[in-house]
Amino acid sequence: MKITIFNGSPRAEKGNTHWMVQEFMKGAESAGAIVENIFLAGKNIHHCQGCFTCWFKTPGKCTINDDMAELIEKFKLADILVFATPVYVDHVTGMMKDFLDRLVPLGDPHFEKDENGECRHVVKVGCEKPPKLVIISNCGFPEQTHFQVISHYFKRVARNMRTEVIGEIYRGGGEILREKSLLLMPFLYGYKKLLQKAGKEIVNDLKFSPETALKLEKPIVPDSEYIKSANQYWDSIVPKE
Ligand SMILES: Cc1cc2nc3c(=O)[nH]c(=O)nc-3n(C[C@H](O)[C@H](O)[C@H](O)COP(=O)(O)O)c2cc1C
């Protein structure tokens, strides 16, 4: 099984998203998957220009000469795609959105109605078996409610692609993941093990067990503690007026 991870954090390998991705990868690799981890931050990806040239003049090929041609090939070869992104203004990061917009050459422009009477584009020949999706995200605020938009958004992306989201890993309070405090260590260790288990389960079962799914939603530390330490941190670096 081939898993390709697209990480849309500008912090790339220094980010909290990557901290999560690494553990998921360990679990997936231990279950036999071949995993490729790609940082979008290291790629040259321009905005889609909306010209639709890739739909009529040069079908399947974008006019922009950047790293997307290579990334689209990697996209096509995966059995599972992991979209990994921090929450930025309640949504995916700009670079993740640019990446997703630039997948347009993979589509066929014609319209058709789905089983619910809602339009979508016809499946392009050769793209009938799209990869399944796993979403990994973290955010600065502590609650899990901050992933509502991202969760809904990727389900829509999956619908358009004729695939499904088989796993969602969301971590509110993500700014503690790279903390080095001795007090936090056992909690972070436990969460790492959980992410590894999640990676293993996706490879073995193409889903999380109900127990894993439930545990993934649990806070690592109580909200009140997280908020207190976040405010202490900001107090220590924000200049006093
Ligand atoms: C421009 C920007 C917008 C953000 N918007 C949100 C937000 O809407 N909600 C939230 O909880 N955190 C928000 N955050 C915080 C990030 O989600 C948080 O720092 C996260 O841990 C970053 O992950 P990374 O280290 O992988 O980049 C924002 C951060 C930035 C820089």
Side-chain angles (χ1 to χ4, degrees):
M1 176 187 286
K2 169 101 178 114
I3 301 182
T4 304
I5 301 169
F6 294 105
N7 182 333
S9 164
R11 292 177 180 168
E13 71 279 359
K14 295 196 179 79
N16 299 317
T17 309
H18 182 56
W19 189 100
M20 296 170 72
V21 161
Q22 268 180 313
E23 303 308 324
F24 178 87
M25 268 175 80
K26 277 183 204 162
E29 282 171 341
S30 76
I34 296 163
V35 187
E36 185 173 11
N37 184 32
I38 297 167
F39 294 111
L40 298 181
K43 299 290 177 190
N44 178 24
I45 302 173
H46 292 268
H47 304 302
C48 172
Q49 298 301 308
C51 63
F52 292 124
T53 301
C54 64
W55 275 358
F56 68 95
K57 211 166 168 186
T58 56
K61 197 174 173 329
C62 180
T63 50
I64 306 170
N65 186 15
D66 61 9
D67 290 338
M68 272 312 289
E70 164 211 335
L71 296 180
I72 281 189
E73 287 314 306
K74 290 182 186 294
F75 181 104
K76 283 190 204 161
L77 292 173
D79 300 301
I80 293 178
L81 290 173
V82 177
F83 291 125
T85 176
V87 174
Y88 268 25
V89 195
D90 274 294
H91 209 305
V92 299
T93 58
M95 62 179 72
M96 175 58 80
K97 185 64 170 57
D98 275 339
F99 170 73
L100 293 164
D101 289 351
R102 291 285 306 283
L103 296 176
V104 166
L106 285 168
D108 179 308
H110 298 93
F111 291 16
E112 68 177 14
K113 292 252 189 188
D114 71 7
E115 56 284 2
N116 299 317
E118 189 187 22
C119 262
R120 62 182 167 190
H121 291 293
V122 169
V123 172
K124 193 170 175 160
V125 178
C127 297
E128 295 90 349
K129 222 176 152 268
K132 296 189 183 301
L133 309 184
V134 171
I135 317 304
I136 297 181
S137 183
N138 92 96
C139 73
F141 292 137
E143 303 86 6
Q144 294 296 93
T145 47
H146 299 280
F147 301 99
Q148 289 173 83
V149 174
I150 285 184
S151 175
H152 183 69
Y153 173 64
F154 279 111
K155 283 177 187 133
R156 295 294 298 178
V157 169
R159 170 204 172 259
N160 296 336
M161 283 172 56
R162 311 292 204 287
T163 186
E164 58 180 323
V165 175
I166 56 169
E168 298 178 273
I169 304 181
Y170 300 129
R171 182 71 276 143
E175 288 291 3
I176 62 164
L177 296 177
R178 287 175 306 134
E179 283 282 325
K180 300 279 182 264
S181 139
L182 278 177
L183 279 175
L184 274 177
M185 221 173 257
F187 301 102
L188 294 178
Y189 179 77
Y191 187 56
K192 276 185 179 180
K193 288 282 161 207
L194 181 63
L195 292 173
Q196 290 168 19
K197 190 162 181 265
K200 218 180 217 175
E201 286 179 1
I202 282 292
V203 175
N204 289 333
D205 310 322
L206 295 179
K207 63 179 184 193
F208 300 143
S209 65
E211 185 204 357
T212 299
L214 200 69
K215 283 188 179 165
L216 283 168
E217 288 297 304
K218 294 246 164 77
I220 296 176
V221 294
D223 285 7
S224 55
E225 290 300 314
Y226 181 83
I227 294 165
K228 197 163 92 189
S229 86
N231 284 337
Q232 277 168 356
Y233 170 74
W234 289 118
D235 278 346
S236 73
I237 61 164
V238 175
K240 306 258 178 306
E241 279 172 22

